[in-house]
């Protein structure tokens, strides 16, 4: 019998996706991280016109120049990041950007700092690059925020990179500006790369996202359109880096996917350059749902941080696996926290990317949960 490569054999399939596949359609799904909103109409219309006008061929490997220029303008306006279109690579979602960055930057013997708890893809992408995962703890007592001192104590001579995610999946934490800047300074002083996953950048409440690329050149900024514009299935994201790194990122992207879907790229241009009213409405509704789910869980005795971004809560519960099983049987799907790192073992991730009414229903079910 032929065996797969060892680096793949050691990887587990995503528990989140497993639960998504087996979900009872009648249950309230608080497990999947996908906005329940529709793609804004102006974006749909742009893609329909693109099909009619024949935008169904290959694009440049880096993506449509009009989209890359729009991304450059967005980064300058929103993030104070100065770059040019040649350093932007449009990808098949932020997930491809993350994989490509890990493959281009890391290898055997490299240490890569990863948040714990953190999105499970970070661990996997580092492992597939055959590099070493070094966890940076982001405990509940710090509101799950990565702190500069915690990063500094993990740096050694083999440190090649750090992955940060703000706002965070699974915790909803938003890093403080002083920590972003301090970590950027560490990357400069110790000469390592920062991969900054900013896919939830616009889904933020009462605070502001800060990008390390504002303060440091050793940064690969990753973002996309899945969360902000509910374009999850259209698979379009991007990564931005300096001249030194871009060519190597392009090599991985070129041989992996060639280019992001052409029609989706046209939709992404409209997303960035068109009206932003739909984004504001969506974030306002997410904020309302967050208030409901956080207060409800705390009232039940499940300690929950008042998250500042994304659309996740990460309550602390007794016997999480039993909780998840009992909740699923009662009609509420959630995800155990253990796949997100050792600090997630006493937690459960819930997504409030579901209707207010469904969240109310879920909270009513959990209030009477006996496990």
């Amino acid at each position: 019998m032929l065996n797969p490569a060892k680096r793949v054999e050691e990887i587990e399939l995503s528990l989140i996706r497993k639960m998504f596949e087996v979900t009872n359609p009648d249950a309230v799904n608080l497990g999947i991280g996908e906005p329940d909103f529709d793609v804004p109409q102006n974006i749909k219309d742009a893609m329909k016109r693109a099909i009619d006008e024949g935008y169904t061929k290959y694009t440049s490997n880096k993506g449509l120049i009009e989209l890359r220029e729009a991304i450059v303008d967005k980064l300058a306006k929103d993030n104070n990041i100065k770059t040019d279109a040649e350093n932007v690579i449009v990808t098949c979602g932020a997930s491809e950007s993350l994989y490509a960055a890990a493959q281009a930057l890391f290898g055997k013997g490299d240490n890569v700092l990863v948040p714990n708890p953190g999105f499970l893809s970070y661990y996997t992408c580092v492992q597939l690059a055959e590099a070493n995962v070094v966890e940076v703890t982001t405990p509940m007592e710090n509101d799950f925020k990565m702190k500069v001192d915690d990063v500094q104590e993990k740096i050694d001579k083999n440190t090649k990179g750090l992955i940060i995610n703000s706002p965070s999946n699974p915790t909803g934490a938003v890093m403080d500006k002083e920590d972003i800047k301090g970590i950027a300074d560490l990357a400069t002083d110790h000469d390592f790369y920062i991969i900054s996953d900013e896919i939830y950048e616009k889904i933020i409440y009462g605070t502001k996202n800060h990008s390390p690329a504002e303060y440091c050149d050793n940064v690969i900024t990753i973002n996309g359109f899945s969360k902000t514009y509910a374009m999850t299935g259209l698979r379009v994201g991007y990564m931005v880096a300096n001249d030194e790194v871009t060519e190597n990122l392009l090599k991985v992207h070129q041989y992996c996917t060639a280019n992001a879907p052409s029609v989706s790229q046209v939709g992404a241009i409209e997303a960035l350059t068109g009206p932003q009213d739909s984004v504001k409405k969506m974030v306002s509704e997410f904020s309302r749902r967050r208030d409901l789910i956080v207060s409800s869980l705390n009232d039940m005795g499940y300690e929950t941080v008042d998250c500042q971004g994304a659309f996740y809560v990460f309550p602390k519960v007794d016997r999480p696996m039993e909780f998840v099983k009992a909740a699923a049987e009662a009609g509420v799907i959630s995800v155990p926290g253990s796949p997100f790192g050792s600090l997630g073992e006493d937690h459960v991730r819930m997504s409030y990317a579901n209707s207010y009414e469904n969240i109310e229903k879920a909270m009513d079910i959990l209030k009477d949960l006996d496990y």
Side-chain angles (χ1 to χ4, degrees):
M1 177 180 174
L2 294 175
N3 295 316
K6 185 178 179 181
R7 65 180 179 277
V8 177
E9 199 169 35
E10 293 175 349
I11 299 298
E12 296 288 338
L13 288 172
S14 166
L15 180 59
I16 301 171
R17 299 306 304 182
K18 283 182 182 178
M19 298 195 68
F20 180 67
E21 298 296 340
V22 301
T23 294
N24 177 351
D26 296 324
V28 179
N29 193 341
L30 304 183
I32 199 71
E34 180 176 43
D36 58 314
F37 299 91
D38 200 5
V39 176
Q41 189 62 47
N42 62 305
I43 298 175
K44 287 184 182 179
D45 291 341
M47 290 190 291
K48 290 174 185 175
R49 288 193 300 270
I51 292 173
D52 291 339
E53 293 170 7
Y55 277 85
T56 56
K57 307 296 184 183
Y58 291 128
T59 72
S60 160
N61 288 142
K62 288 185 177 180
L64 294 171
I65 185 62
E66 297 88 351
L67 175 54
R68 289 185 281 133
E69 288 175 343
I71 291 168
V72 168
D73 291 342
K74 179 263 177 214
L75 291 169
K77 177 184 175 184
D78 294 347
N79 309 98
N80 201 25
I81 297 174
K82 296 176 176 58
T83 187
D84 60 63
E86 288 305 306
N87 287 339
V88 177
I89 301 174
V90 181
T91 58
C92 295
S95 295
E96 191 220 329
S97 293
L98 177 64
Y99 176 80
Q103 289 295 315
L105 299 177
F106 310 136
K108 287 184 178 179
D110 292 334
N111 290 344
V112 183
L113 312 185
V114 176
N116 174 13
F119 186 46
L120 49 93
S121 288
Y122 304 147
Y123 295 76
T124 303
C125 285
V126 172
Q127 289 173 314
L128 286 171
E130 301 187 88
N132 305 314
V133 172
V134 177
E135 295 181 344
V136 178
T137 55
T138 61
M140 193 174 193
E141 52 264 34
N142 288 344
D143 292 336
F144 298 116
K145 297 181 181 183
M146 184 179 286
K147 312 301 289 184
V148 63
D149 291 342
D150 294 326
V151 173
Q152 187 163 17
E153 70 178 23
K154 296 290 185 172
I155 296 171
D156 63 20
K157 61 183 178 61
N158 295 319
T159 300
K160 186 70 174 293
L162 163 70
I163 300 175
I164 66 174
N165 176 215
S166 180
S168 162
N169 176 5
T171 66
V174 176
M175 291 176 62
D176 297 325
K177 180 180 180 179
E178 56 266 29
D179 289 308
I180 292 284
K181 186 178 185 305
I183 290 168
D185 290 341
L186 289 176
T188 300
D189 294 343
H190 295 273
D191 199 26
F192 62 82
Y193 295 107
I194 296 174
I195 298 176
S196 181
D197 180 356
E198 302 179 18
I199 191 67
Y200 297 98
E201 169 199 23
K202 295 292 185 181
I203 305 174
I204 198 164
Y205 322 108
T207 187
K208 185 181 186 302
N209 180 66
H210 296 278
S211 300
E214 180 179 353
Y215 310 106
C216 173
D217 289 333
N218 297 352
V219 180
I220 296 84
T221 302
I222 293 174
N223 209 325
F225 301 84
S226 294
K227 312 301 183 180
T228 301
Y229 301 98
M231 294 170 63
T232 51
L234 297 172
R235 309 315 302 139
V236 57
Y238 59 89
M239 51 184 169
V240 184
N242 59 35
D243 294 333
E244 180 182 336
V245 177
T246 300
E247 183 176 350
N248 288 321
L249 293 172
L250 182 60
K251 290 175 186 176
V252 180
H253 168 67
Q254 186 179 71
Y255 291 112
C256 182
T257 60
N259 63 266
S262 56
V263 172
S264 298
Q265 290 189 56
V266 173
I269 295 170
E270 176 62 26
L272 289 179
T273 60
Q276 303 298 304
D277 297 356
S278 61
V279 178
K280 294 176 182 177
K281 290 178 182 177
M282 181 178 70
V283 173
S284 176
E285 176 59 18
F286 275 141
S287 179
R288 193 169 78 101
R289 298 174 186 179
R290 176 200 62 159
D291 293 344
L292 169 64
I293 197 169
V294 169
S295 62
S296 298
L297 290 169
N298 281 328
D299 287 346
M300 291 178 218
Y302 302 120
E303 185 182 357
T304 307
V305 170
D306 190 10
C307 45
Q308 294 179 302
F311 37 67
Y312 306 103
V313 290
F314 207 56
K316 188 173 183 178
V317 304
D318 292 329
R319 308 187 313 282
M321 291 302 296
E322 294 177 37
F323 175 95
V324 168
K325 182 179 178 181
E329 291 174 350
V332 178
I333 304 301
S334 58
V335 177
S338 53
F340 301 101
S342 60
L343 288 190
E345 290 177 356
D346 294 327
H347 295 263
V348 169
R349 192 193 77 168
M350 298 181 189
S351 165
Y352 47 94
N354 207 320
S355 71
Y356 192 91
E357 292 72 24
N358 278 343
I359 294 170
E360 282 185 314
K361 178 182 176 182
M363 295 301 102
D364 285 340
I365 292 171
L366 294 181
K367 184 171 57 179
D368 299 323
L369 190 67
D370 183 10
Y371 72 103

